[in-house]
Each structure stands twice: as C-alpha cells, then as structure tokens.
Amino acid sequence: MTPRLFVQAGLATGTVLPLPADQGHYLRTVLRLSAGAELALFNGRDGEWRATITAAGRAGVEVTPVCRTQEQAAGPDIWLLFAPLKRSPIDFVAQKVTELGADVLWPVITRHTAVRRVNLRRLRSNTVEAAEQSGRLTVPEVREPTALADVLGQWPDGRVLFFCDEPGAGGPARPAFAAAAGRPAGLLVGPEGGFARDELDAVGNRADVCRVSLGPRILRADTAALAALACWQALAGSWTDAPWAPKT
Ligand code: SAH
C-alpha cells in the first residue's frame, strides 16, 4: 500500500519538502523506502498529491509532489463534543470519530467529568494517524478543553447542538437528525456520570439545542459518541449522498 502522509507545507508540483524527523524515520527506517519510492501527501488545503521520495539519507528525507490526484473538498460540517475520558477510550474515540468524519473534536468539562487533564498532543496525533489511514483530506481540529457553560456561551448562530441525553429523556435521534440534514451541527456526549440537573436545565430552553436519545440502553460514553456520529452521518451527513460513487 502506498504510504499517505499529512504535512503542514503547501503542496505544489516540484516543491521539495524536507520531512520532520518522525515522518522521515517512518518512511526510511520503518517502511525501508528509498529515493524514487512513491507516496501520497495531503495538507488539508491543497487536495491530495502523488509524490516521490527525492532524498532519503541520514541527514533526512525529502519528498517532492508530482501531481494532484484529488481536489480539496469540504466534508460534512459536524463537531463532536465529549467529556474527556481515560487514556485508552479517549484515544479510541479520537481515532474512530476521525474515521467517521468529525470536523472538530472539542473536549467539554462538565460537573461530573472525572478526567480533567487532556493530553492534546496525543489526541492530535491520533487524529492525524486516523486521517492518514482513512483517506480523508483534512485532519479534524482539536480544541482546548472548555467548560460546558462557556461552550454554550460561545455556541455559533445557526449550528444545532444535539445533546445526547440519558435514555428516555430526549426525543428519538432519527427524526431529529434527519430534520437537520444540511445544517451545521454538533453532537455532545456527557461523562460516565451523566449530566447534572442544572446542566440539563441550562440547555433545556435553548432554541439551538435539541436533546436526543440513542435508544433505551445506557451506552458508555465512547459507544455513545460513535453511535451518535454514525447515526448523524447516515441521516444528515455524508452517507446520505454518494459523490464517491463511480460516475455512469
Ligand atoms: N450515568 C449516566 C450514563 C452516562 S453515559 C446514567 O446513568 O444515565 C455517558 C453519556 O453517554 C451520557 O451523558 C450521554 O451523553 C450518552 N448516552 C449514553 N446512553 C445514551 C442514550 N441511550 N441516548 C443518548 N445518549 C446516551
């Protein structure tokens, strides 16, 4: 399989790009590639490019874009907001929601959030790896952890916030997601301890918040995040049309 790397630099034909040490190490030492080998590059702005390794030595690895193979395209506008979890489930959530197409990952601190320290570097590197592997053309933005009240205070106009609530409290997710097809949206999943009464009261009467239920069972927070995003993609996002299907 051709390696696929996310880079920061602009991509244009013939521009030599020296790679950071970790990516150079990956190509040269882990994959044992040398000058002349092909790879794919993307940077979130210039589409996807076919490139070749033009230098691979102890001094570093350089790659040179050859031609664009895919135009940059915007994905569905969906944010995932979640109370931070322990190390292994938060890594899992970061990887999986990147594969599932989340645009923004936003850790939200709620009253019952047990884990308050978030390793943003690790979260970001998980999203980069998952973006490289899944073929997407962007890497999701990972935001600083923010208190729920501040998230609500700065919530942008026109974006609907789906508040995933314990079983039975919200309306069913399916019609709510379907009704919001085409609208920018966010999905909020709470901590293992659930939301506090006053947090529920604070969102209760906002016009831009929609409380949704993901069925009668209590899901772990990581399960709820993936279930909500998959369901939203199917009803309102990029599983509803097929721009990738072969043209007839
Ligand atoms: N302790 C809580 C459960 C928290 S589960 C309780 O007993 O109710 C962690 C988070 O996952 C919740 O805050 C909610 O955002 C989400 N979640 C879990 N099950 C859900 C469901 N059936 N519908 C919608 N959201 C759910």
Side-chain angles (χ1 to χ4, degrees):
M1 222 172 94
T2 316
R4 185 170 187 273
L5 294 183
F6 174 72
V7 294
Q8 300 290 345
L11 295 169
T13 309
T15 313
V16 177
L17 307 174
L19 290 181
D22 56 336
Q23 289 182 324
H25 172 81
Y26 172 68
L27 293 180
R28 195 172 90 96
T29 316
V30 179
L31 299 183
R32 303 190 151 277
L33 297 176
S34 48
E38 277 197 356
L39 73 162
L41 300 175
F42 68 110
N43 64 3
R45 310 183 298 277
D46 300 322
E48 179 160 328
W49 286 69
R50 185 156 60 76
T52 50
I53 298 180
T54 39
R58 282 185 189 283
V61 174
E62 289 175 356
V63 295
T64 307
V66 176
C67 65
R68 197 194 323 255
T69 51
Q70 253 189 89
E71 292 292 328
Q72 188 68 35
D77 190 350
I78 184 72
W79 298 358
L80 185 86
L81 297 88
F82 57 100
L85 303 163
K86 292 198 195 92
R87 182 182 174 128
S88 131
I90 203 173
D91 286 351
F92 179 79
V93 165
Q95 291 158 13
K96 300 306 154 192
V97 302
T98 300
E99 291 168 41
L100 286 168
D103 233 7
V104 168
L105 271 64
W106 197 352
V108 176
I109 309 297
T110 66
R111 189 181 301 287
H112 297 321
T113 300
V115 179
R116 290 182 176 239
R117 278 173 54 91
V118 183
N119 185 336
L120 286 177
R121 248 176 75 107
R122 208 179 64 236
L123 216 52
R124 291 197 172 108
S125 87
N126 272 303
T127 60
V128 168
E129 228 173 86
E132 289 174 340
Q133 166 272 319
S134 66
R136 50 183 285 174
L137 293 171
T138 56
V139 170
E141 177 195 348
V142 177
R143 299 212 173 152
E144 297 282 336
T146 307
L148 178 58
D150 296 331
V151 169
L152 294 173
Q154 64 186 82
W155 193 252
D157 284 345
R159 180 175 294 273
V160 56
L161 177 60
F162 291 108
F163 198 95
C164 299
D165 205 352
E166 57 203 69
R174 184 175 131 118
F177 287 169
R183 275 184 74 186
L187 304 164
L188 172 64
V189 171
E192 292 303 343
F195 291 106
R197 185 74 258 156
D198 62 330
E199 291 173 332
L200 295 170
D201 291 344
V203 296
N205 43 17
R206 285 178 63 123
D208 52 354
V209 173
C210 177
R211 279 167 76 170
V212 292
S213 161
L214 300 165
R217 291 159 296 272
I218 296 177
L219 308 174
R220 299 290 294 261
D222 48 355
T223 316
L226 303 197
L229 184 52
C231 186
W232 185 89
Q233 286 288 26
L235 294 162
S238 58
W239 301 0
T240 56
D241 53 12
W244 59 86
K247 299 257 180 316
T248 47

